[in-house]
Amino acid sequence: MGSATRIAVLRERASGETRVSATPETVRKLIGLGASVAVEAGAGLHASIADADYLAAGAAVSPLARVLDGANIVLGIQAPDPALLDGAASGAWVVAAMDPFAQPSRVEAYAAAGLEALAMELMPRITRAQSMDILSSQSNLSGYKAVLVAANLYGRAFPMMMTAAGTVSAAKAFVMGVGVAGLQAIATARRLGAQVSATDVRSATREQIQSLGAKPIFVENVRGIEGEGAGGYAGEMSEDYRRAQAELVSAHLARQDIVITTALIPARVAPRLISDAQIATMKPGSVIFDLAAPQGGNVEGCVADEVVERHGVKIAGFSNTPAHLPAEASALFARNLFNFVSAFWDKEQGKPVLDDEIGAAIRLTRDGRVVHPRLLG
Ligand code: NAD
């Protein structure tokens, strides 16, 4: 038996990042597997986790160099700068969201450093990997937060209220893109009392929208994506579809108070769903929250982390929505990472060993080379 697998938890350095990749709960569980865990001092501060909490869970808490010394697995929320990782063991795993297609030179640097970079956002959408899916866990919270922010920017109420001074009518909310974030946005807007409608290009979402008590708004004359779409993901739509969608949505948008957009296409800029001309038809005082802001935005004129006003309509979006719920987003992300390490834990070897299916999907670098097929293209 060699020495225990050493797991390093780094303090996030990206601007605006508030999350942390392990919590006291997951530290305990990782130690339970037989690993040792070292947490960089101050790593949990923005997520309301004190160094003392990590110590109490059994981790060592130290400055970066000590934390990395001989580390076999480095955990992060966003991919750490490879230049920081001197001191990690040769061949160490770096497990985080890697944004590999936008950051190819960082991937090269992991290869050059002899590290094995594992991109958690490329986890395949198969049943056994659901508990390791960072996109789902973070999108769910983002959908919730988007509605709360929109409600806060809105100068009126969401629920219908009958008061002695008269009746307040319910807000009309429209959710565009009904994946994980969109479903949670529908549920949240409903809980707040809005009248909710929603649309998507994937026909499987129609029933999901109805089952949450919202009204589906669908292009009828041009075919969208049958069923779930490949792996639950949408693709680029035809010119005909986009024209039909724009027409349908224009008429509907003009009557909405709150619009939440969530539409994404993997490895592409987000599709444009709302133009400035359409915003001009909306009622003054309406609010649009664009969850796709970090991927280029669904809404014309959206500027991440600002509230832009166009034609009396407020347009908002965050560059990192989960970072606005640091404690909960960290708790779920950290569990995704623990579930991943634990699912592949090999008791005999005292370390995780990836299988071919998931390994091929998420492994970017190995043995000094970039190995992911989509990066070799
Ligand atoms: P996503 O974040 O990639 O996209 C958000 C939504 O935008 C999707 O529903 C997509 O169809 C929609 N969209 C794209 N282009 C659009 C357009 N032009 N107009 C309107 N809508 C558009 O999607 P997601 O939230 O990651 O999830 C999509 C699906 O995958 C869901 O059905 C989810 O349940 C499924 N899923 C399955 C697993 C699993 O089985 N392990 C894990 C996660 C998600």
Side-chain angles (χ1 to χ4, degrees):
M1 243 337 254
S3 55
T5 288
R6 299 167 78 102
I7 300 180
V9 176
L10 303 195
R11 179 172 62 78
E12 296 296 310
R13 286 165 169 76
S15 117
E17 186 53 81
T18 59
R19 294 169 289 173
V20 60
S21 56
T23 59
E25 174 197 308
T26 65
V27 164
R28 269 189 208 98
K29 289 178 168 172
L30 290 165
I31 293 169
L33 292 175
S36 71
V37 180
V39 177
E40 186 178 358
L45 282 185
H46 297 296
S48 314
I49 305 171
D51 288 348
D53 300 331
Y54 287 115
L55 281 171
V61 174
S62 325
L64 181 66
R66 288 267 299 280
V67 166
L68 280 173
D69 187 26
N72 307 102
I73 300 177
V74 179
L75 300 181
I77 299 281
Q78 299 189 41
D81 181 350
L84 285 178
L85 303 183
D86 279 352
S90 144
W93 283 8
V94 185
V95 186
M98 292 277 164
D99 200 10
F101 308 110
Q103 305 282 344
S105 56
R106 185 166 62 199
V107 178
E108 299 277 355
Y110 282 126
L115 298 164
E116 193 163 321
L118 303 177
M120 287 298 282
E121 72 268 50
L122 300 182
M123 191 62 69
R125 286 179 160 177
I126 49 178
T127 306
R128 72 188 171 100
Q130 254 171 346
S131 67
M132 315 169 196
D133 183 352
I134 58 167
L135 291 183
S136 292
S137 73
Q138 305 301 293
S139 293
N140 187 37
L141 292 168
S142 297
Y144 161 80
K145 194 66 176 183
V147 174
L148 292 195
V149 173
N152 221 8
L153 289 171
Y154 186 47
R156 297 167 183 270
F158 264 43
M160 209 240 312
M161 292 187 235
M162 311 248 247
T163 80
T167 301
V168 170
S169 51
K172 290 193 170 69
F174 181 38
V175 177
M176 303 183 73
V178 186
V180 178
L183 287 170
Q184 186 56 255
I186 294 172
T188 304
R190 289 264 303 154
R191 279 185 214 119
L192 287 178
Q195 264 177 36
V196 185
S197 58
T199 192
D200 200 293
V201 292
R202 293 181 300 113
S203 64
T205 59
R206 185 192 289 265
E207 266 179 37
Q208 297 165 358
I209 294 166
Q210 278 165 333
S211 71
L212 288 172
K215 184 179 172 201
I217 305 290
F218 274 75
V219 172
E220 302 289 353
N221 47 343
V222 187
R223 264 167 59 137
I225 295 169
E226 296 298 313
E228 278 283 356
Y233 285 118
E236 203 95 62
M237 303 309 288
S238 70
E239 188 55 43
D240 281 353
Y241 185 95
R242 278 185 291 191
R243 203 175 308 118
Q245 186 188 38
E247 248 168 59
L248 171 82
V249 162
S250 288
H252 191 67
L253 273 178
R255 298 191 295 271
Q256 301 307 308
D257 302 301
I258 304 290
V259 179
I260 309 289
T261 67
T262 80
L264 292 179
I265 300 170
R268 295 281 177 90
V269 295
R272 178 53 48 83
L273 300 183
I274 301 181
S275 67
D276 188 68
Q278 287 171 313
I279 296 169
T281 69
M282 294 177 67
K283 290 177 280 184
S286 304
V287 178
I288 306 176
F289 192 98
D290 186 349
L291 270 171
Q295 288 85 9
N298 295 142
V299 182
E300 186 173 356
C302 177
V303 180
D305 303 319
E306 284 180 29
V307 179
V308 176
E309 196 155 333
R310 298 286 302 158
H311 313 289
V313 176
K314 289 189 176 120
I315 308 164
F318 292 144
S319 53
N320 182 348
T321 312
H324 290 258
L325 288 144
E328 215 77 78
S330 300
L332 299 188
F333 199 115
R335 281 193 206 125
N336 292 144
L337 296 185
F338 168 75
N339 292 335
F340 169 68
V341 172
S342 119
F344 291 106
W345 194 265
D346 182 307
K347 275 204 192 113
E348 239 125 75
Q349 300 189 50
K351 63 176 193 177
V353 179
L354 282 185
D355 68 26
D356 290 343
E357 184 182 25
I358 289 183
I362 69 171
R363 187 184 287 115
L364 304 180
T365 61
R366 189 180 211 177
D367 300 331
R369 289 184 305 119
V370 176
V371 295
H372 199 279
R374 282 166 69 192
L375 288 165
L376 296 173

